Amino acid sequence: MKITRLTLWQADLPLTKPYFLSGGRLKFERLDSTFVRIDTDEGLSGWGEACPWGHTYLPAHGPGVRAGIETLAPSLLGLDPRRLGLVERAMDLCLPGHLYAKAPLDMACWDIAGQAAGLPIADMLGGRHPDPTPIASSISTDTPEGMLANIQSYRALGYRVHSVKVGADTEEDIRRIRHLEAHRLPEERILYDVNRAWTRREAVIVMNAVAGLGITVEQPCETLDDLAAIRALTSCPISVDERLETLRDMTRIARDGLAEVVNIKLNRVGGLTKAARIRDLALAHGFQCYVMATGGSALADTEAAHLAQSIPPEARLGTWSCQEMLARDVLPGSGARNRGGHLDAPTAPGLGAAPDPALLGAPVATYGT
Ligand code: MG
């Protein structure tokens, strides 16, 4: 089987309401998503999506995805998409780094490989655990009362896991955390996500003030060196998100004991092939994991649902369903969807999800024949 053509679409995915990231630093109202379909000479096609969470969150942006794919496409034409390690190597030799541009191509190849094998991707990744994955809401920074009201609106949809964005004034953050913990349901889990917004001093002040509440804080400071420094001064469990990009990062996080939880974002780490190795290393060292897209439609959520469901339930803390924050659905009725606050990976071969090309409009680029 050979890759014969790559077709690209760009789609604006408007949010249902403006989003403020931790500390109110970032506000945006739409996502710039890129969809790619890879066609083969045997009639199988696979879909991928890359959708950065705005362009100020990570070093990634929509035009960069499309420019990266333009550079990578010639290295993929003629390859067998089922030989995922060879596809990965071809992309890494063609364009070092730029993981977020490689991720949708890797995703489309996994989709084809699964269809060819007659297996859903979760089974290709080692096997599906039957329990669906709890979805974490994404609660943007607000007053303590406003954030609780937002959590309550997600509760009504069945959510029991919440990723709450903090990372502003330390006194206000302590108030937010205490207020939400005081109103947390017994079966609920809240992850306090700082998105790198605290200085080391601010992190130590807040984390020590609330350490007795048993909470977990995600990416409190910018770098892994920062995490190593505050580890010595706080007892609060830590989750690493933005600074987990490569297998080498995961190795350091495990070796130096920098965290207890990792958040594997598929687009950031370069797709399923690389993410599966990070998963294995994390599980070998007793980490618990969140697995999610960086953003995007139900297609990106479906990819994350497959990887998440390959992780045993005791190590799997949650995923995300960005699709529910969007005012536009380009694959109605297809892919992993919220069922009582959980995502269940499709059982059809491959991704088990595909956008409706008619809803994507005209392609922006085609490579190959
Ligand atoms: Mg995070």
Side-chain angles (χ1 to χ4, degrees), residues 57 163 165 193 195 218 241-242 263 265:
Y57 170 54
S163 176
K165 310 305 172 186
D193 189 357
N195 289 121
E218 185 161 276
D241 186 352
E242 288 95 314
N263 191 330
K265 287 213 170 84

Side-chain angles (χ1 to χ4, degrees), residues 327-347:
R328 184 180 176 201
D329 188 352
V330 295
L331 56 159
S334 177
R337 301 285 172 168
N338 182 5
R339 300 276 183 272
H342 292 75
L343 278 190
D344 205 1
T347 54

